Amino acid sequence: MSSGTTRADADSPSAATAPPRSRGNRVEERGIESVPEAERRGRPRELFLVWFSSNMSYLPILLGGSLMMLGLSTWQAVAVLLAGNTFWALVGLLAVSGPSTGSPSAVIMRVLFGVRGNRVIGCGLGWLTAVGFEAINLSITVLAGQALLSEAGIGGSAVSRGVILVLVSVVTFTISVYGYDAILRMSRAITLLLTLSLLVAAVFVAVHAHPGTDGSADAALGPLATALVGFTVVSSGPLSWLSGADYARYLPPTASRRSVAGWTAAGGWLASVFLGLVGVLAGTAVDMTDPMTSMTTLMPAWFHPVFLAAVIVGTLANNVLTSYSSGLLLQGAGVRIRRARAVLLDGVLGGGIALYALVAASFLTALNNILALSVVYMGPIIAIYALDLVLRRNRYGAGELADLRPGGSRPTGVGAAGVSAAGVIAFLAGTLAALLCVNTTLWTGPVSRWLGGADLAAVVGPLVAALGYAALTRTGNARLGRTDRSSDAPREPGAAGTTGSAGTPPVPVVDLRLSAGGLVVIRRTRRSRG
């Protein structure tokens, strides 16, 4: 995209205006760079609201209900729910890389896979997954909206579904364009409303629940195999959040790492577990094949509209966070597109997938397939990211993140072609191992068949990827822990230490700034190779 002002990402909380540019000075946006240290503020505890409110959606309820449909007993389902959500600890760990670099995950993953490798693996697959989850959330919102119209006696035709889908898409993706500040304000506004509404709903569900329910007699698999299939489905929730750094990067570099990780993980975990338990209890009382309609039978008539409205608002909040990060991932994948257009593209693709899901023979079957298959490749990516952060002790060189040239200033192990052999090989090994162990209606791996249908993808994939990455980085003598610490406190372009010294060619990068009018200015700066 050419230089100038664009309606892109209202990322930074303060205003800055670029100096006049000479005519014909055109710079293409190749990614979202770091938020300058002078523009970072806030406290780690603010992350709790962001992650808690965005996960107070209907999806965890669906996941909890699906555990009962698989044929687990109530207490088995609770155990699987708690085990699968332990992956929120990894999401919290990834968030730690945000304050130290000021960069989103789309940029940080360059050191894992290389500039070109990241475009395909980290950003490319991450973006596809985000679009898939956006479609799921849109589908849920449409179902809730249609049920709400039925409560008002309007009925639910195909036309009404289309109208609801368009309206929800417009609201969701409009908020996403305005960036982190808008998301934080939204989180503060809706957290109390959602919490109170869903707590009341939980009470009504608990009154009608039958905790002693055991559906193992109807299970197609044995108890252990069924539990492992459920574990993969539940773990897909936290493993879909590759973007932990995206929201923590607005905090100052002095922010406590333990607090950043803890508040991030706590927000997502608490919301997911609480609503997952509601889904499990609902599954003991009603048929969750048609969850939107069946759950309302557990509540008094006056509360139906309140519950459905809470579902719509909560799912919308989840989609705002997802679409915000998906825009960063698409730009990080090398697509030269303005953020507003990236969000629009997400809306069109997500809406199309949502329409298909709504007319599919079984919505829950389609949902479980998407979730289970996303674990196959997202698990290895997150495992490599987390291990790399630990190995380098959260130290990232400025040159590694800022240089967009495949053969430029690159971290140890990244070849001149812009691909990290260690990261790519470890990812491929982990993904292949997960494919051999996954169990879905679309694909069942040979290891899963040999184990009687047990699904070990969420365990084997990340484990193989992490072990492979550790072995390959040791073999390649990649001294990750000794990376330049200059990025622990990223400097603004033009500040001391950012220009090339004598004999060191400067590296051109692209920076995004928020102008007084709320527009992002893209301009060329010069930064040393780091």
Side-chain angles (χ1 to χ4, degrees), residues 436-465:
L436 295 176
C437 299
V438 75
N439 180 6
T440 70
T441 58
L442 296 177
W443 164 260
T444 300
V447 173
S448 177
R449 289 196 296 269
W450 180 62
L451 294 176
D455 189 330
L456 296 173
V459 176
V460 173
L463 183 62
V464 170

Side-chain angles (χ1 to χ4, degrees), residues 55-88:
N55 284 281
M56 287 292 283
S57 66
Y58 198 61
L59 183 57
I61 296 178
L62 281 178
L63 296 183
S66 69
L67 295 179
M68 298 305 298
M69 292 186 63
L70 286 173
L72 294 174
S73 70
T74 304
W75 304 115
Q76 288 172 338
V78 171
V80 169
L81 183 70
L82 294 173
N85 278 297
T86 56
F87 280 107
W88 279 108

Side-chain angles (χ1 to χ4, degrees), residues 253-264:
T254 55
S256 166
R257 297 176 181 180
R258 181 176 299 179
S259 296
V260 169
W263 286 116
T264 297

Side-chain angles (χ1 to χ4, degrees), residues 52 55-56 60-61 64 77-78 80-86 88 234 238 265-280:
F52 181 80
N55 284 281
M56 287 292 283
I61 296 178
V78 171
V80 169
L81 183 70
L82 294 173
N85 278 297
T86 56
W88 279 108
V234 172
W269 183 88
L270 184 61
S272 299
V273 169
F274 166 63
L275 294 180
L277 290 173
V278 174
V280 169

Side-chain angles (χ1 to χ4, degrees), residues 254-420:
T254 55
S256 166
R257 297 176 181 180
R258 181 176 299 179
S259 296
V260 169
W263 286 116
T264 297
W269 183 88
L270 184 61
S272 299
V273 169
F274 166 63
L275 294 180
L277 290 173
V278 174
V280 169
L281 293 177
T284 66
V286 296
D287 182 6
M288 292 294 283
T289 304
D290 184 12
M292 205 66 65
T293 302
S294 59
M295 279 198 65
T296 56
T297 63
L298 304 177
M299 306 168 190
W302 64 267
F303 189 72
H304 292 175
V306 177
F307 171 71
L308 293 172
V311 169
I312 293 173
V313 173
T315 307
L316 185 148
N318 184 283
N319 234 16
V320 166
L321 209 66
T322 304
S323 60
Y324 173 82
S325 290
S326 69
L328 298 179
L329 290 168
L330 184 60
Q331 290 175 320
V335 178
R336 296 165 182 173
I337 186 172
R338 296 179 181 180
R339 177 163 174 74
R341 293 179 180 175
V343 169
L344 177 61
L345 177 61
D346 282 3
V348 172
L349 292 177
I353 299 172
L355 283 176
Y356 169 76
L358 290 169
V359 300
S362 174
F363 176 76
L364 282 180
T365 299
L367 171 68
N368 284 344
N369 283 332
I370 293 175
L371 298 179
L373 290 176
S374 70
V375 169
V376 168
Y377 56 86
M378 290 298 289
I381 293 175
I382 289 181
I384 292 171
Y385 189 165
L387 178 62
D388 180 85
L389 186 148
V390 172
L391 292 177
R392 68 174 63 245
R393 288 175 284 178
N394 198 31
R395 299 172 181 174
Y396 296 87
E400 297 176 6
L401 299 179
D403 193 352
L404 299 172
R405 299 172 302 166
S409 175
R410 57 185 184 270
T412 306
V414 178
V419 176
S420 166

Side-chain angles (χ1 to χ4, degrees), residues 122-147:
C123 292
L125 292 177
W127 176 74
L128 288 175
T129 304
V131 171
F133 273 83
E134 289 167 12
I136 291 171
N137 286 330
L138 287 173
S139 303
I140 293 172
T141 309
V142 170
L143 291 175
Q146 192 171 27

